[in-house]
Amino acid sequence: MDPARPSMIDLHTHTDASDGRCSPAELVRRAVRAGITTLAITDHDTVAGVPDAASDAARAGLTLVPGIEITSVVEGADVHVLGYFVDVESRALAEFLAAQRADRVRRLRAMGGRLAALGCPLDIEALVASRRRSGHSLGRPLVADALIEAGYVDSVAEAFDRFLGEGRPAYEPRCGATPVEVIGRIVDAGGVASLAHPGTLNRDDLIPALVGAGLAAIEVYHSDHLPEQVERYRHLAAEHGLAATGGSDYHADGEYGADLGGVLLPAGDYADLVGRARRSGRAAPRTVEGSGRAVPGLDA
Ligand code: AMP
Ligand code: FE
Ligand code: FE
Ligand code: ZN
Protein backbone atom coordinates (compact mmCIF):
# COMPACT_ATOMS: atom_id res chain seq x y z
CA MET A 1 0.00 0.00 0.00
CA ASP A 2 1.19 3.50 -0.77
CA PRO A 3 2.19 4.89 2.65
CA ALA A 4 0.94 8.35 1.59
CA ARG A 5 -2.53 6.98 0.92
CA PRO A 6 -4.83 7.13 3.97
CA SER A 7 -6.05 3.67 4.90
CA MET A 8 -9.72 2.83 4.43
CA ILE A 9 -10.48 -0.51 6.03
CA ASP A 10 -13.72 -2.47 5.57
CA LEU A 11 -13.74 -5.89 7.24
CA HIS A 12 -17.33 -6.94 6.48
CA THR A 13 -18.55 -7.53 2.91
CA HIS A 14 -20.48 -10.15 0.94
CA THR A 15 -20.21 -11.49 -2.61
CA ASP A 16 -22.50 -13.69 -4.69
CA ALA A 17 -20.78 -16.70 -3.11
CA SER A 18 -23.45 -16.04 -0.45
CA ASP A 19 -26.14 -13.34 -0.45
CA GLY A 20 -24.20 -10.41 -1.91
CA ARG A 21 -25.02 -9.41 -5.48
CA CYS A 22 -21.48 -8.81 -6.84
CA SER A 23 -19.01 -11.37 -8.06
CA PRO A 24 -15.75 -11.26 -6.07
CA ALA A 25 -14.05 -9.45 -8.98
CA GLU A 26 -16.86 -6.88 -9.16
CA LEU A 27 -16.69 -6.34 -5.37
CA VAL A 28 -12.96 -5.63 -5.66
CA ARG A 29 -13.62 -3.14 -8.49
CA ARG A 30 -16.28 -1.35 -6.44
CA ALA A 31 -14.12 -1.33 -3.29
CA VAL A 32 -11.23 0.25 -5.17
CA ARG A 33 -13.58 2.84 -6.67
CA ALA A 34 -14.83 3.65 -3.14
CA GLY A 35 -11.23 4.23 -2.00
CA ILE A 36 -10.99 1.10 0.20
CA THR A 37 -7.39 0.00 0.83
CA THR A 38 -7.98 -3.12 2.99
CA LEU A 39 -11.00 -5.35 2.38
CA ALA A 40 -12.20 -8.53 4.06
CA ILE A 41 -14.66 -10.75 2.20
CA THR A 42 -16.88 -12.33 4.86
CA ASP A 43 -19.50 -14.46 3.12
CA HIS A 44 -22.04 -16.48 5.07
CA ASP A 45 -20.72 -20.02 5.72
CA THR A 46 -18.33 -20.05 2.75
CA VAL A 47 -14.85 -18.85 1.78
CA ALA A 48 -15.46 -19.56 -1.94
CA GLY A 49 -15.31 -15.87 -2.89
CA VAL A 50 -11.86 -15.24 -1.39
CA PRO A 51 -9.59 -17.05 -3.90
CA ASP A 52 -11.68 -15.64 -6.76
CA ALA A 53 -10.92 -12.09 -5.56
CA ALA A 54 -7.23 -12.57 -4.78
CA SER A 55 -5.60 -11.83 -8.13
CA ASP A 56 -7.88 -8.86 -8.88
CA ALA A 57 -7.15 -7.42 -5.42
CA ALA A 58 -3.39 -7.85 -5.86
CA ARG A 59 -3.49 -6.17 -9.29
CA ALA A 60 -5.58 -3.29 -7.95
CA GLY A 61 -3.30 -2.63 -4.96
CA LEU A 62 -5.97 -3.69 -2.46
CA THR A 63 -5.03 -5.70 0.63
CA LEU A 64 -7.42 -8.65 0.87
CA VAL A 65 -8.09 -10.27 4.25
CA PRO A 66 -9.53 -13.79 3.96
CA GLY A 67 -12.66 -13.82 6.07
CA ILE A 68 -15.94 -15.53 6.80
CA GLU A 69 -19.20 -14.92 8.66
CA ILE A 70 -20.43 -18.17 10.20
CA THR A 71 -23.99 -18.60 11.47
CA SER A 72 -24.16 -20.35 14.83
CA VAL A 73 -27.25 -20.98 16.96
CA VAL A 74 -28.16 -20.26 20.57
CA GLU A 75 -31.67 -21.15 21.77
CA GLY A 76 -33.01 -21.08 18.21
CA ALA A 77 -31.55 -17.63 17.46
CA ASP A 78 -28.80 -16.99 14.91
CA VAL A 79 -25.47 -15.71 16.25
CA HIS A 80 -23.09 -14.51 13.51
CA VAL A 81 -19.38 -14.99 14.16
CA LEU A 82 -16.78 -13.37 11.90
CA GLY A 83 -13.43 -15.07 11.26
CA TYR A 84 -10.36 -13.26 9.89
CA PHE A 85 -7.08 -14.55 8.43
CA VAL A 86 -8.49 -18.07 8.22
CA ASP A 87 -6.69 -20.61 6.05
CA VAL A 88 -9.15 -20.88 3.16
CA GLU A 89 -7.56 -24.21 2.19
CA SER A 90 -8.17 -25.87 5.56
CA ARG A 91 -9.87 -29.23 4.98
CA ALA A 92 -11.41 -29.30 8.45
CA LEU A 93 -12.93 -25.86 7.90
CA ALA A 94 -14.21 -26.89 4.45
CA GLU A 95 -15.95 -29.96 5.87
CA PHE A 96 -17.53 -27.96 8.67
CA LEU A 97 -18.77 -25.28 6.25
CA ALA A 98 -20.25 -27.90 3.89
CA ALA A 99 -22.40 -29.13 6.81
CA GLN A 100 -23.39 -25.54 7.62
CA ARG A 101 -24.49 -24.99 4.01
CA ALA A 102 -26.44 -28.25 3.98
CA ASP A 103 -28.45 -26.97 6.95
CA ARG A 104 -29.16 -23.77 4.99
CA VAL A 105 -30.80 -25.92 2.28
CA ARG A 106 -32.81 -27.80 4.90
CA ARG A 107 -33.90 -24.52 6.47
CA LEU A 108 -34.98 -23.01 3.16
CA ARG A 109 -37.06 -26.10 2.33
CA ALA A 110 -38.73 -25.92 5.76
CA MET A 111 -39.47 -22.23 5.26
CA GLY A 112 -40.91 -23.07 1.83
CA GLY A 113 -43.28 -25.50 3.55
CA ARG A 114 -44.33 -22.86 6.04
CA LEU A 115 -44.89 -20.30 3.28
CA ALA A 116 -47.06 -22.75 1.33
CA ALA A 117 -49.17 -23.32 4.45
CA LEU A 118 -49.50 -19.53 4.75
CA GLY A 119 -50.87 -19.32 1.21
CA CYS A 120 -47.63 -18.20 -0.46
CA PRO A 121 -46.33 -21.25 -2.33
CA LEU A 122 -42.90 -20.92 -4.02
CA ASP A 123 -40.83 -23.31 -6.12
CA ILE A 124 -38.12 -23.79 -3.48
CA GLU A 125 -36.48 -26.65 -5.41
CA ALA A 126 -35.97 -24.32 -8.38
CA LEU A 127 -34.38 -21.77 -6.02
CA VAL A 128 -32.07 -24.38 -4.53
CA ALA A 129 -31.15 -25.67 -8.00
CA SER A 130 -30.43 -22.13 -9.24
CA ARG A 131 -27.71 -21.78 -6.61
CA ARG A 132 -26.10 -25.20 -6.90
CA ARG A 133 -22.61 -23.84 -7.47
CA SER A 134 -19.89 -25.58 -5.55
CA GLY A 135 -19.11 -23.96 -2.23
CA HIS A 136 -21.82 -21.32 -2.54
CA SER A 137 -24.36 -20.77 0.22
CA LEU A 138 -28.00 -19.77 0.03
CA GLY A 139 -30.12 -17.89 2.50
CA ARG A 140 -33.34 -16.06 3.25
CA PRO A 141 -32.65 -13.10 0.88
CA LEU A 142 -33.11 -15.56 -2.01
CA VAL A 143 -36.58 -16.43 -0.64
CA ALA A 144 -37.31 -12.72 -0.18
CA ASP A 145 -36.51 -12.12 -3.87
CA ALA A 146 -38.80 -15.01 -4.85
CA LEU A 147 -41.63 -13.61 -2.67
CA ILE A 148 -41.28 -10.27 -4.49
CA GLU A 149 -41.20 -11.93 -7.90
CA ALA A 150 -44.34 -13.91 -7.07
CA GLY A 151 -46.06 -10.68 -6.04
CA TYR A 152 -46.61 -11.65 -2.37
CA VAL A 153 -44.57 -8.70 -1.04
CA ASP A 154 -43.16 -5.46 -2.42
CA SER A 155 -39.71 -5.41 -0.82
CA VAL A 156 -37.07 -7.52 0.93
CA ALA A 157 -37.76 -5.58 4.12
CA GLU A 158 -41.46 -6.48 3.92
CA ALA A 159 -40.56 -10.14 3.27
CA PHE A 160 -38.49 -10.21 6.48
CA ASP A 161 -41.06 -8.23 8.49
CA ARG A 162 -44.04 -10.37 7.49
CA PHE A 163 -42.55 -13.83 6.95
CA LEU A 164 -38.83 -14.51 7.22
CA GLY A 165 -37.46 -12.61 10.21
CA GLU A 166 -36.85 -14.28 13.56
CA GLY A 167 -40.17 -15.05 15.23
CA ARG A 168 -42.19 -14.37 12.05
CA PRO A 169 -44.59 -17.11 10.81
CA ALA A 170 -42.36 -18.65 8.11
CA TYR A 171 -39.21 -18.54 10.28
CA GLU A 172 -37.37 -21.82 10.73
CA PRO A 173 -34.45 -21.93 13.18
CA ARG A 174 -31.06 -23.16 12.05
CA CYS A 175 -29.75 -26.46 13.41
CA GLY A 176 -26.08 -26.53 14.05
CA ALA A 177 -23.01 -25.37 15.82
CA THR A 178 -22.94 -23.16 18.90
CA PRO A 179 -20.84 -19.97 18.86
CA VAL A 180 -18.33 -21.67 21.16
CA GLU A 181 -17.81 -24.44 18.58
CA VAL A 182 -17.61 -21.91 15.74
CA ILE A 183 -14.95 -19.87 17.53
CA GLY A 184 -12.95 -23.09 17.97
CA ARG A 185 -13.28 -23.88 14.25
CA ILE A 186 -12.04 -20.40 13.30
CA VAL A 187 -9.07 -20.62 15.69
CA ASP A 188 -8.22 -24.14 14.45
CA ALA A 189 -8.17 -22.75 10.88
CA GLY A 190 -5.56 -20.17 11.98
CA GLY A 191 -8.03 -17.31 12.27
CA VAL A 192 -9.23 -14.79 14.84
CA ALA A 193 -12.92 -14.63 15.75
CA SER A 194 -15.08 -11.53 16.19
CA LEU A 195 -18.70 -11.40 17.33
CA ALA A 196 -20.68 -9.84 14.46
CA HIS A 197 -23.02 -6.86 14.98
CA PRO A 198 -23.68 -7.46 18.72
CA GLY A 199 -26.10 -4.52 18.63
CA THR A 200 -28.54 -6.46 16.44
CA LEU A 201 -27.92 -9.71 18.33
CA ASN A 202 -28.84 -8.20 21.69
CA ARG A 203 -27.21 -11.00 23.71
CA ASP A 204 -24.35 -9.25 25.49
CA ASP A 205 -24.81 -11.82 28.26
CA LEU A 206 -23.12 -14.39 25.96
CA ILE A 207 -19.89 -12.38 25.63
CA PRO A 208 -18.01 -13.62 28.75
CA ALA A 209 -18.44 -17.30 27.74
CA LEU A 210 -17.37 -16.50 24.19
CA VAL A 211 -14.26 -14.74 25.47
CA GLY A 212 -13.53 -17.91 27.45
CA ALA A 213 -13.84 -19.90 24.21
CA GLY A 214 -11.24 -17.74 22.45
CA LEU A 215 -13.19 -14.80 21.04
CA ALA A 216 -10.60 -12.15 20.05
CA ALA A 217 -12.80 -9.22 19.04
CA ILE A 218 -16.26 -7.76 18.73
CA GLU A 219 -17.67 -5.87 15.78
CA VAL A 220 -17.92 -2.34 17.14
CA TYR A 221 -18.45 -0.51 13.84
CA HIS A 222 -21.42 -1.75 11.80
CA SER A 223 -24.07 -0.24 9.57
CA ASP A 224 -26.84 -1.26 12.01
CA HIS A 225 -25.12 0.24 15.07
CA LEU A 226 -26.30 3.59 16.38
CA PRO A 227 -23.56 5.95 17.65
CA GLU A 228 -24.40 5.03 21.27
CA GLN A 229 -24.01 1.33 20.40
CA VAL A 230 -20.60 1.99 18.86
CA GLU A 231 -19.68 3.69 22.11
CA ARG A 232 -21.10 0.82 24.19
CA TYR A 233 -19.27 -1.92 22.28
CA ARG A 234 -16.04 0.05 22.20
CA HIS A 235 -16.17 0.11 26.02
CA LEU A 236 -17.25 -3.53 26.25
CA ALA A 237 -14.32 -4.56 24.01
CA ALA A 238 -11.88 -2.68 26.25
CA GLU A 239 -13.46 -4.17 29.37
CA HIS A 240 -12.99 -7.73 28.08
CA GLY A 241 -9.58 -7.09 26.52
CA LEU A 242 -10.93 -7.60 23.00
CA ALA A 243 -10.03 -5.94 19.71
CA ALA A 244 -12.62 -3.96 17.76
CA THR A 245 -13.58 -4.86 14.19
CA GLY A 246 -15.96 -3.17 11.79
CA GLY A 247 -17.27 -2.84 8.30
CA SER A 248 -20.16 -1.96 6.05
CA ASP A 249 -21.82 -5.42 5.75
CA TYR A 250 -22.12 -4.47 2.08
CA HIS A 251 -24.37 -6.79 0.04
CA ALA A 252 -25.21 -4.51 -2.93
CA ASP A 253 -25.67 -0.78 -3.55
CA GLY A 254 -28.73 0.46 -1.66
CA GLU A 255 -29.50 -2.95 -0.10
CA TYR A 256 -29.01 -4.50 3.36
CA GLY A 257 -25.88 -3.05 5.01
CA ALA A 258 -24.10 0.21 4.19
CA ASP A 259 -22.55 1.10 0.86
CA LEU A 260 -18.82 0.49 0.47
CA GLY A 261 -16.87 3.14 2.37
CA GLY A 262 -19.92 3.82 4.58
CA VAL A 263 -18.50 2.13 7.70
CA LEU A 264 -14.76 1.90 8.25
CA LEU A 265 -12.42 0.42 10.85
CA PRO A 266 -9.78 2.78 12.28
CA ALA A 267 -6.22 1.78 11.31
CA GLY A 268 -5.19 1.37 14.96
CA ASP A 269 -7.92 -1.22 15.54
CA TYR A 270 -6.84 -3.13 12.43
CA ALA A 271 -3.24 -3.15 13.66
CA ASP A 272 -4.47 -4.52 17.01
CA LEU A 273 -6.35 -7.32 15.22
CA VAL A 274 -3.32 -8.23 13.10
CA GLY A 275 -1.17 -8.27 16.24
CA ARG A 276 -3.57 -10.71 17.92
CA ALA A 277 -3.60 -12.95 14.85
CA ARG A 278 0.19 -12.96 14.87
CA ARG A 279 0.41 -13.67 18.60
CA SER A 280 -2.15 -16.51 18.40
CA GLY A 281 0.90 -18.35 17.09
CA ARG A 282 -0.69 -20.90 14.77
CA ALA A 283 0.36 -19.14 11.59
CA ALA A 284 1.35 -15.71 10.35
CA PRO A 285 -1.83 -13.86 9.44
CA ARG A 286 -2.61 -14.40 5.79
CA THR A 287 -3.50 -11.53 3.53
CA VAL A 288 -3.07 -10.86 -0.16
CA GLU A 289 -0.97 -7.72 -0.11
CA GLY A 290 -1.87 -5.33 -2.91
CA SER A 291 1.46 -3.59 -3.44
CA GLY A 292 3.35 -6.86 -3.87
CA ARG A 293 5.71 -5.72 -1.13
CA ALA A 294 5.93 -7.88 1.96
CA VAL A 295 4.37 -6.34 5.03
CA PRO A 296 6.18 -7.35 8.24
CA GLY A 297 4.41 -10.30 9.81
CA LEU A 298 2.01 -10.81 6.93
CA ASP A 299 2.24 -13.60 4.37
CA ALA A 300 1.96 -12.36 0.82
P1 AMP B 1 -29.78 -16.17 6.47
O1 AMP B 1 -28.32 -16.20 6.08
O2 AMP B 1 -30.61 -17.09 5.64
O3 AMP B 1 -30.00 -16.36 7.95
O4 AMP B 1 -30.30 -14.69 6.13
C1 AMP B 1 -29.72 -13.59 6.79
C2 AMP B 1 -29.39 -12.48 5.80
O5 AMP B 1 -30.61 -11.87 5.39
C3 AMP B 1 -28.57 -11.35 6.39
O6 AMP B 1 -27.20 -11.61 6.27
C4 AMP B 1 -28.97 -10.18 5.52
O7 AMP B 1 -28.24 -10.23 4.32
C5 AMP B 1 -30.42 -10.47 5.19
N1 AMP B 1 -31.36 -9.78 6.11
C6 AMP B 1 -31.58 -10.04 7.41
N2 AMP B 1 -32.56 -9.24 7.91
C7 AMP B 1 -32.96 -8.48 6.89
C8 AMP B 1 -33.95 -7.45 6.76
N3 AMP B 1 -34.71 -7.08 7.79
N4 AMP B 1 -34.08 -6.86 5.56
C9 AMP B 1 -33.33 -7.23 4.52
N5 AMP B 1 -32.37 -8.19 4.58
C10 AMP B 1 -32.20 -8.81 5.75
FE1 FE C 1 -26.32 -11.42 4.43
FE1 FE D 1 -24.48 -10.86 9.89
ZN1 ZN E 1 -22.73 -9.89 6.99
Side-chain angles (χ1 to χ4, degrees):
M1 201 183 87
D2 176 355
R5 191 156 54 126
S7 60
M8 280 180 70
I9 301 161
D10 187 336
L11 296 191
H12 193 154
T13 66
H14 294 272
T15 75
D16 63 5
S18 67
D19 59 5
R21 300 225 192 243
C22 303
S23 68
E26 177 60 21
L27 179 71
V28 167
R29 260 195 301 280
R30 291 184 187 196
V32 169
R33 213 183 303 142
I36 306 287
T37 54
T38 299
L39 178 80
I41 291 180
T42 53
D43 275 311
H44 302 287
D45 293 328
T46 180
V47 288
V50 175
D52 289 348
S55 57
D56 296 271
R59 255 196 310 277
L62 180 76
T63 298
L64 183 69
V65 175
I68 188 155
E69 182 173 23
I70 299 179
T71 302
S72 62
V73 202
V74 172
E75 293 151 17
D78 291 355
V79 177
H80 291 185
V81 182
L82 294 156
Y84 294 112
F85 309 111
V86 288
D87 175 7
V88 297
E89 289 175 3
S90 158
R91 264 185 88 95
L93 182 64
E95 281 170 19
F96 172 71
L97 295 176
Q100 290 279 109
R101 292 193 297 271
D103 188 62
R104 287 179 166 274
V105 175
R106 179 204 63 78
R107 181 195 215 185
L108 240 58
R109 288 182 169 136
M111 291 179 89
R114 288 173 188 269
L115 284 165
L118 291 162
C120 302
L122 293 173
D123 188 349
I124 291 288
E125 290 314 314
L127 277 191
V128 171
S130 75
R131 302 280 310 172
R132 271 252 180 265
R133 281 187 290 159
S134 138
H136 287 50
S137 71
L138 37 73
R140 284 175 287 167
L142 202 61
V143 181
D145 286 346
L147 285 168
I148 295 170
E149 201 178 318
Y152 298 129
V153 297
D154 291 328
S155 67
V156 174
E158 186 189 345
F160 273 84
D161 283 351
R162 283 183 51 202
F163 297 113
L164 307 175
E166 202 176 314
R168 308 308 299 151
Y171 185 77
E172 168 76 17
R174 282 282 295 269
C175 292
T178 64
V180 166
E181 179 184 353
V182 164
I183 290 166
R185 297 277 180 178
I186 289 168
V187 170
D188 286 348
V192 289
S194 178
L195 181 63
H197 40 75
T200 68
L201 174 63
N202 223 2
R203 286 296 308 265
D204 293 352
D205 59 302
L206 297 174
I207 291 174
L210 302 186
V211 173
L215 189 75
I218 51 180
E219 192 174 43
V220 170
Y221 306 96
H222 185 269
S223 36
D224 277 342
H225 283 179
L226 300 167
E228 54 266 33
Q229 289 176 309
V230 170
E231 201 50 31
R232 169 174 175 74
Y233 289 109
R234 189 156 251 314
H235 278 106
L236 219 55
E239 200 178 295
H240 290 284
L242 299 169
T245 67
S248 60
D249 210 351
Y250 179 77
H251 285 72
D253 289 349
E255 293 193 17
Y256 186 83
D259 284 348
L260 287 166
V263 177
L264 297 169
L265 180 69
D269 289 311
Y270 179 67
D272 181 6
L273 189 74
V274 172
R276 283 164 198 264
R278 195 180 300 145
R279 286 194 300 276
S280 73
R282 284 172 193 270
R286 282 162 233 268
T287 63
V288 173
E289 182 56 37
S291 69
R293 275 186 298 109
V295 167
L298 298 186
D299 283 344

